[in-house]
Amino acid sequence: QVQLVESGGGLVQAGDSLRLSCAASGRTFSSYGMGWFRQAPGKEREFVATIRSGGSTYYAGSVKGRFTISRDNAKNTSYLQMNSLKPEDTAVYYCAVRIYFSFGDLGWVIPREYGYWGQGTQVTVSS
């Protein structure tokens, strides 16, 4: 079965860095787009970043310039390097693989377009 496992979350102070990993198994995703979403307490799940099969990336405006998404297809793994963390970055971070294309290019930021999800990893940034 397909499984995505996030790791690397934790408690850090504002301004610190953190690197999240998403190890996939059960299926090779080199031809699929992979993304990261986050969900803060009391808020809807929101798009953070995506990396396409060809390597192009796209980021939410709130993290652009601070976060970097990457992938290692040989390891079937995606990463999210988070720098200059802010308290508002506090959330559970989920990695995902896009499976559906009901919304075309707009779907890259829509959770429903992603068919596989990890269990999430908590990132807490103190002020």
Side-chain angles (χ1 to χ4, degrees), residues 3-8 19-36 51-52 68-80 95-97:
Q3 184 175 3
L4 303 180
V5 180
E6 301 98 333
S7 62
R19 184 174 185 254
L20 306 183
S21 297
C22 174
S25 62
R27 188 174 181 179
T28 298
F29 294 108
S30 60
S31 298
Y32 295 79
M34 303 185 74
W36 287 89
I51 182 167
R52 322 295 167 80
T68 301
I69 187 172
S70 61
R71 66 191 299 165
D72 185 338
N73 288 335
K75 296 181 178 180
N76 213 25
T77 300
S78 68
Y79 306 92
L80 185 67
C95 67
V97 178

Side-chain angles (χ1 to χ4, degrees), residues 6-124:
E6 301 98 333
S7 62
L11 173 63
V12 297
Q13 294 184 326
D16 285 351
S17 297
L18 210 55
R19 184 174 185 254
L20 306 183
S21 297
C22 174
S25 62
R27 188 174 181 179
T28 298
F29 294 108
S30 60
S31 298
Y32 295 79
M34 303 185 74
W36 287 89
F37 289 75
R38 67 187 182 186
Q39 188 165 20
K43 299 182 66 177
E44 297 293 317
R45 186 168 300 188
E46 67 173 350
F47 168 79
V48 175
T50 187
I51 182 167
R52 322 295 167 80
S53 61
S56 62
T57 59
Y58 178 69
Y59 300 88
S62 59
V63 307
K64 193 171 186 178
R66 298 188 298 120
F67 291 10
T68 301
I69 187 172
S70 61
R71 66 191 299 165
D72 185 338
N73 288 335
K75 296 181 178 180
N76 213 25
T77 300
S78 68
Y79 306 92
L80 185 67
Q81 177 66 46
M82 305 183 293
N83 298 328
S84 301
L85 284 164
K86 305 175 181 179
E88 49 263 48
D89 293 319
T90 295
V92 176
Y93 283 71
Y94 300 89
C95 67
V97 178
R98 188 179 182 184
I99 300 296
Y100 310 105
F101 292 87
S102 298
F103 298 95
D105 289 341
L106 297 176
W108 292 110
V109 303
I110 301 175
R112 281 192 61 188
E113 292 286 272
Y114 292 75
Y116 297 109
W117 295 84
Q119 82 289 345
T121 185
Q122 177 71 47
V123 172
T124 302

